[in-house]
Amino acid sequence: MTLKASEISVGDTFEEVLVEDLKRTQLVMYAGASGDYNPLHTDDLYCREAAGYPGVFAHGMLTMGMTGRVVTNLFGPESIKKYGVRFTNQVWPGDDLSGKAEIEAIREEGGEMLVDVKLTTTNQNGDVVVTGAATARVDP
Amino acid sequence: MTDEKAIKIPVEATHIMMFARSIGDYSPEFHDAEQAQQTDAGGIVAPPTFLQSLAQFNPDYFLRPKPGEAWFGSGKEPSGVVGKATSSGGLHAEQHFEFERPVRPGDVLYATVKDGDSWVKESKRAGKLTFSERITEYRDENGELVCTARGVGVTTERPVDQG
């Protein structure tokens, strides 16, 4: 069940574990589904010996997709009006990520009740990997 | 009615299922038509970042190996491209989606991509950063806007320092 506007207040926070010990296989799955076959995300040899990175790292869009779960679980995927992020740090295999949503505003616009949410995803070291914002439609 | 350069995206339930799995989301709205009907979504919908898989439908997408063309990933050698590989290729800096309505299986969308602004910044961790913006509009078969996406890519002077 998704939340109603009457069930939330500005300043409320919701946290969710997005992934524990991120696997390289998950990166391969994301490459296959999204069509982004950049070897930086699936090809360790290329990363180490050709690209100068310590190994493969996650597609930013995988982290954005996982982070989106925090909002879609709260308000339902059909209710999302806006969702945007900034990628602030790379995400690596083995990382644990947790996503946090903070209610910033509950407002009416064009006859709809909307909720604005601030999003932050953090790794096991406390480094922020994604910051973002979303707006969702909510029932009163 | 559609722009001839528009990329056609037939949205299918199986692709939504695969995409949802790939982001670790096993919610019924993405996986099971009958269960999805019992949710507020009233049927299968796409996760908000699903339209990024536009890449699958773009015939010229550069991050997909193509028959007869050199591919920069590893095979016999660490890179299939002779000489210096694209050691500091593009990274994704920002991504934004704005929806007029949810995307559902059966939708046939047409995406048009145009360049936005570009700007340069200096950074300690990766040298000169060149940012460039791309705006993608997704319209349905009636020409109605479904989603506007704004992506910001960045190319770095050198790989991002991990220190």
Side-chain angles (χ1 to χ4, degrees), chain B residues 81-104:
Chain B
V81 175
V82 181
K84 179 136 174 57
T86 51
S87 65
S88 53
L91 297 174
H92 209 160
E94 283 181 49
Q95 183 65 39
H96 304 268
F97 296 98
E98 198 169 335
F99 295 93
E100 308 304 319
R101 65 165 177 84
V103 173
R104 297 191 183 261

Side-chain angles (χ1 to χ4, degrees), chain A residues 68-83:
Chain A
R69 268 161 47 200
V70 184
V71 196
T72 55
N73 286 347
L74 290 174
F75 303 109
E78 74 291 349
S79 68
I80 307 302
K81 304 264 292 181
K82 277 188 194 178
Y83 176 35

Side-chain angles (χ1 to χ4, degrees), chain A residues 17-23 26 66 69 95-98:
Chain A
V17 173
L18 300 178
V19 67
E20 283 177 322
D21 187 10
L22 176 66
K23 301 297 193 289
Q26 194 75 45
M66 293 192 292
R69 268 161 47 200
D95 278 359
D96 303 326
L97 300 182
S98 92

Side-chain angles (χ1 to χ4, degrees), chain B residues 38-96:
Chain B
Q38 310 304 314
T39 68
D40 291 341
I44 292 179
V45 293
T49 59
F50 173 78
L51 290 178
Q52 195 70 14
S53 53
L54 164 66
Q56 296 283 22
F57 302 94
N58 179 351
D60 304 321
Y61 188 61
F62 71 112
L63 293 173
R64 178 176 65 237
K66 293 181 196 68
E69 288 180 29
W71 174 246
F72 63 107
S74 68
K76 287 190 180 112
E77 302 296 330
S79 175
V81 175
V82 181
K84 179 136 174 57
T86 51
S87 65
S88 53
L91 297 174
H92 209 160
E94 283 181 49
Q95 183 65 39
H96 304 268

